[in-house]
Each structure stands twice: as C-alpha cells, then as structure tokens.
Amino acid sequence: MTVTADLAISLDGYVAGPNVSLDNPGGDGAEPLFEWIHGLASWRERQGLAGGAENRDSELMREWFDATGAVVMGRTMYETGADFWGEDPPFRAPVFVLTHRPHPVLVKQGGTTFTFVTDGVHDALDRARAAAGDRNVDIAGGASTVRQYLGAGLIDELHLHVVPALLGGGLRLFDGPAAAGPRALEPLSVIHTPLATHLKYRFPK
Amino acid sequence: MTVTADLAISLDGYVAGPNVSLDNPGGDGAEPLFEWIHGLASWRERQGLAGGAENRDSELMREWFDATGAVVMGRTMYETGADFWGEDPPFRAPVFVLTHRPHPVLVKQGGTTFTFVTDGVHDALDRARAAAGDRNVDIAGGASTVRQYLGAGLIDELHLHVVPALLGGGLRLFDGPAAAGPRALEPLSVIHTPLATHLKYRFPK
C-alpha cells in the first residue's frame, strides 16, 4: 500500500493562484493549473461526461483513479469542492476529510463516501489505509494538508504534474520545511506532454 | 540569438540553501543542487580536470558551454566564484558582471574576460549580445539577477535542471512576481536521468 500525493503545480511552484477563498477555490489566474485536466476523457468519464481527449495525460489520470482506493483531504478542499462534485463525486472511493467539527458520514453515489475525521492526520491516514485495501491512499489536498503529511514523513510517492506556466503568486506546495532537513528523493518516472510534465518521485524509507 | 537562464533547482524550488554568504555561497545543505555536476566529464574538462562521467548529463552541459557566447551574472555570484574559478575560468567567453562599483576589465586565460557593468541589466545584456556573436547569452545567476531579467521579460529560454531533493529552505528562483501576471511557457524538451530532470521552456514572444 502506497501513500501518494498527486498535484498539478505551476513551474514556479504554485498549486493555486492568489486570493484563494471559498468562492474562488483555485485563486486568481489559476486556469493554467487545471484547464488541461478538463478536456481529458478519463476526467470527463468520472464527471459523467462523454468525449474528451484519449491521450497520455488522460491515461495517467485513469491510472491514478484506478490505483486509488481511498482519499484524504483537508476541510477547505472538501468545502470548496462539494457543490461541484455533487451527488456522484469523481472519487468513487472512501474519502476522509480532516476537520475539527464532527459530522455524520455522507454516502454519495458511485462508491464515494465522505467521513469526517477529528482526530488528526495520523488517524485519518490509518482509516484511509484500512479502507483502501491493497490500493493506494492519495492525499488529495489542499496544499497545507499535503504539507502536513510531507512534514510528518507519511508520503511515499509524490506525483507532480508541472504545467508550463508561471503564476507569479499564490499558494505554494513547498513553503517552509517540508521535512526535517534536506531530503533526497528517488526519481521514478517522467512523462512529458504538451500539457504537462508528469513527474513521479519516491521518498526513500 | 537566444537569451537563456540555465540553473540547477531543487524540486521544492530552491537554487541555494539557507544562510547563503560569501563564505557559504551555496548555502547550507545545498550539496544535492551541485554535487551531480562535479562528476561530469564536460564540467571537469572546463576545470582542467581529466576523467568524469560521459553521460547524457555531461552532454547537456557541453551543449550549454558550446552554445553560450557570453554570460551575464550578478556581483555576488562573481565575488563568491572568483577564487574558485581562478586564472582559467570555465566560461571561456566574455562575462558581464552587474555591479555598482566600476572596475577595470579582467582578462583571464582561455577566453574568459570579466567586464564590470554599472549601467544596469539592459546595458549588460546589450553588451553581452554584442559579444556573443551568433551564440547565446546566458544569464548565469544568482537568483535575484535571473529574477530581474525574468521580470523584465528579457529571457527567451529557461533551462532548469531539477534535482531530486527537497531542501526545505533557502533561496528561491521564483519569489514574487516573475513577470507581469500569469505567463504561459512553451515546453521545448525534457530529458530525465537519475541525476536530474532537465527541462527547457521558451517564453512566447
């Protein structure tokens, strides 16, 4: 079982634009981070939409969907995404939401459940591991949630989709110490397309 | 004639570690950024050293040396590098050093000259262009010098050698607005080796 963090990131290191809020979850000018995803057949399938491009990027996203048995996310990501995801969210797997406010489990269509975890990052990960079976747990975001897991040394693989754009500001994935001191990573693969450079790294045990 | 900026950068966006000073030009814990270079045959040749690895990384560095007809750098990079470069610096081309203090031209062996430019980034670039002939001008560093040229829209191609390490702190290449607003880049190539992921991007005109 592998714990992944899989994010789209600009070449200058931002995972959202400036002025992120509940009404503006991607932040200003963040279209380059996300618009390439919306045309992919595999992404559209999960939204219940037909069509889209069957390219290498779409395959990679399908691989991620297929490999992921459970998801952990922060409360802000949940709150900003919930309306968009609607009654048939794209995860089709158990999702564990880090929060301070207890909330009953939400059961959606297609296999997605939202379980609200108030006992912290370790507990959320333990529950996600138990739910994932032999598939991966993905720490989906936002940036501060991924940073907490990175800082605690709980991420096995970092998958970054580097989009060819400079945002010039916003929310950084890497902001302050990501882990204790400098840390070497093992490069696993790189796949380069006109849309993004897809990098996979493993943290040595 | 192409203006390049060619830098080694950690996956978390740092081009030097924390606590950079004249005595500690790479900053603390910056070995992952630079140590991979020291074993390359092409780099060793330029230092007057035999041996080293003849691999794809070495070829890329040789391509950069061969393509570069003039170099622009900041004063701190010059001051921290001068002793190390010695009387036969690796550039073998005219180098223009941005400074506020006038200083006579220094003529070194092997074709390297250091010309101290007090009239700002545009003047330094103009002089480097004139000296480069039909080869490239490289904006060599440090980070703040590259940022000034990026911010002024004067870089044509950005070449990043992403080393598989998280430094967790230090000097960022991208810190604050790199250019006016979000800016799309055209991916030119990616070459992936165990040592680094070599990315080339072009700024659209």
Side-chain angles (χ1 to χ4, degrees):
Chain A
M1 214 281 304
T2 301
V3 179
T4 62
D6 191 292
L7 297 102
I9 187 167
S10 67
L11 184 63
D12 53 351
Y14 297 101
V15 293
N19 303 315
V20 168
S21 69
L22 289 184
D23 292 334
N24 184 23
D28 296 340
E31 293 79 7
L33 283 175
F34 306 116
E35 62 192 0
W36 63 279
I37 296 171
H38 299 160
L40 305 182
S42 59
W43 185 87
R44 295 177 60 85
E45 270 171 38
R46 287 282 177 130
Q47 319 299 318
L49 301 168
E54 282 288 6
N55 53 20
R56 193 72 189 92
D57 309 277
S58 180
E59 280 171 31
L60 284 169
M61 174 151 288
R62 185 172 286 115
E63 286 167 21
W64 177 83
F65 278 131
D66 290 348
T68 299
V71 170
V72 175
M73 67 177 61
R75 196 189 70 187
T76 304
M77 180 170 174
Y78 169 73
E79 287 183 350
T80 55
D83 281 355
F84 178 76
W85 297 324
E87 288 307 307
D88 185 9
F91 306 104
R92 302 188 185 168
V95 178
F96 296 86
V97 180
L98 292 159
T99 180
H100 295 291
R101 279 182 252 163
H103 190 289
V105 173
L106 298 175
V107 178
K108 301 291 182 178
Q109 295 166 27
T112 301
T113 55
F114 291 103
T115 301
F116 298 84
V117 179
T118 55
D119 289 330
V121 294
H122 285 87
D123 185 56
L125 181 56
D126 288 345
R127 296 175 72 172
R129 277 182 205 272
D134 53 7
R135 292 198 291 160
N136 295 344
V137 172
D138 187 69
I139 312 298
S144 66
T145 297
V146 175
R147 277 205 299 271
Q148 283 183 69
Y149 280 99
L150 280 174
L154 295 170
I155 306 273
D156 298 313
E157 291 186 12
L158 194 52
H159 301 177
L160 298 179
H161 309 281
V162 181
V163 300
L166 301 181
L167 293 194
L171 204 57
R172 291 186 191 275
L173 175 58
F174 301 110
D175 201 5
R183 201 155 173 211
L185 292 150
E186 180 188 349
L188 292 179
S189 67
V190 58
I191 293 168
H192 184 62
T193 78
L195 298 179
T197 302
H198 307 278
L199 303 170
K200 289 191 183 181
Y201 293 92
R202 180 159 52 204
F203 285 99
K205 297 286 175 190
Chain B
M1 214 281 303
T2 301
V3 180
T4 62
D6 190 289
L7 296 104
I9 187 168
S10 67
L11 184 63
D12 53 352
Y14 296 101
V15 292
N19 303 315
V20 168
S21 69
L22 290 184
D23 292 334
N24 184 23
D28 297 340
E31 293 79 7
L33 283 175
F34 307 115
E35 63 192 0
W36 64 279
I37 296 171
H38 299 161
L40 306 182
S42 58
W43 185 87
R44 295 177 61 85
E45 270 170 37
R46 287 281 178 133
Q47 319 300 319
L49 301 168
E54 283 288 6
N55 53 21
R56 194 70 188 94
D57 309 277
S58 179
E59 280 170 31
L60 284 169
M61 174 150 289
R62 186 172 286 116
E63 287 167 21
W64 178 83
F65 278 130
D66 291 346
T68 299
V71 170
V72 175
M73 67 177 62
R75 196 189 70 187
T76 303
M77 182 171 174
Y78 168 74
E79 288 183 351
T80 56
D83 281 353
F84 179 75
W85 297 324
E87 288 307 309
D88 185 10
F91 306 103
R92 302 188 185 170
V95 178
F96 296 86
V97 181
L98 292 159
T99 181
H100 295 292
R101 278 184 253 164
H103 190 291
V105 173
L106 297 175
V107 178
K108 301 292 183 178
Q109 295 166 27
T112 301
T113 53
F114 291 103
T115 301
F116 297 85
V117 179
T118 55
D119 288 330
V121 295
H122 285 86
D123 185 55
L125 181 55
D126 287 345
R127 296 175 71 171
R129 278 184 205 272
D134 54 4
R135 292 198 292 161
N136 294 344
V137 172
D138 187 69
I139 311 298
S144 66
T145 297
V146 175
R147 276 205 300 273
Q148 283 183 70
Y149 281 99
L150 280 173
L154 295 171
I155 306 272
D156 298 314
E157 292 188 11
L158 194 53
H159 301 178
L160 298 179
H161 310 279
V162 182
V163 300
L166 301 181
L167 294 194
L171 203 58
R172 292 186 191 276
L173 175 59
F174 302 109
D175 201 4
R183 195 147 179 218
L185 292 151
E186 179 189 348
L188 292 180
S189 67
V190 58
I191 292 168
H192 184 63
T193 79
L195 299 179
T197 302
H198 307 277
L199 302 171
K200 290 190 183 182
Y201 293 93
R202 181 159 49 205
F203 285 99
K205 296 285 173 192

